Amino acid sequence: MSARRRVGVLISGRGSNLQALIDAAQTPDYPAEIVLVISNEPHVQGLVRAEEAGIPTRTINHRDYPSLEAFEVALNDALERSRVELLCNAGFMRLLTEGFVSCWLDRHLNIHPSLLPAFKGLDTHARVLASGARITGCTVHFVRAAMDDGPIIAQAAVPVLTGDTEAALAARVLAAEHHLYPHALRLVASGQAQACGDLVDGLPKGPGEPALFSPPLRGNF
Ligand code: GRF
């Protein structure tokens, strides 16, 4: 097997998607290894998860820097030192400048808990419930400067059920996220999927289309 791609993960909190990536990367044929986890928030659960997996961690607290650009210089410095090739946002709650985004263009992934381009931004599940939508889901996409914007790598659809609370819907979508993110990173790290302008190229077409991912959710509803 060719060398695994070196992946850095940016987090701000719980890190359950990070855990899904850590678990996937422990599979022998997985095409990526996580070589660095950076949190902009100190003492978060995601850092503990990385430490328990033996992955180097850094806390780079944005509050310690005079500007967003200075914070990003520190991020880039740490990523370069660890020779990171692909970057994954996993519950990373800071917007990044166009300069940083262009530096990592087409090598930088994000997960968002909706079927983009619908419901960008925060409070996603509350807005989905208020909209009356019957289907929601999650998306992994390449990062662009605008929030939750960029070429879509893979999506999973999740039903909205009658009587759902925000917490119940969030939990159902999160379970799908944990399947989707390792799947999407595999597509990118293996070279099967790559950004091509506003779209993603290289995905096989037709039955078994890997970008339309149906996670095994039956037990959850
Ligand atoms: C996930 O729902 C992710 O889609 C969103 O923030 C949440 C992070 O959860 N961007 P976790 O930290 O991965 O548990």
Side-chain angles (χ1 to χ4, degrees), residues 11-19 45-46 49 89-93 110-114 124-125 138-139 148 170 173-174 177-178 181:
I11 62 167
S12 297
R14 178 178 57 184
S16 68
N17 278 292
L18 165 67
Q19 187 69 57
Q45 190 186 356
R49 293 178 192 271
N89 290 3
F92 181 65
M93 302 304 286
N110 181 48
I111 187 160
H112 181 73
S114 78
T124 317
H125 304 300
C138 47
T139 303
D148 300 326
V173 173
L174 192 66
E177 292 182 48
H178 296 162
Y181 214 165

Side-chain angles (χ1 to χ4, degrees), residues 117-185:
F119 301 106
K120 295 179 178 183
L122 298 174
D123 298 322
T124 317
H125 304 300
R127 289 185 290 120
V128 167
L129 289 173
S131 76
R134 306 312 301 167
I135 297 176
T136 183
C138 47
T139 303
V140 177
H141 63 98
F142 286 108
V143 172
R144 294 292 182 264
M147 184 175 52
D148 300 326
D149 190 44
I152 291 170
I153 301 161
Q155 293 186 305
V158 174
V160 181
L161 302 182
T162 306
D164 256 349
T165 61
E166 204 180 321
L169 182 57
R172 194 176 308 121
V173 173
L174 192 66
E177 292 182 48
H178 296 162
H179 291 279
L180 188 71
Y181 214 165
H183 172 74
L185 178 59

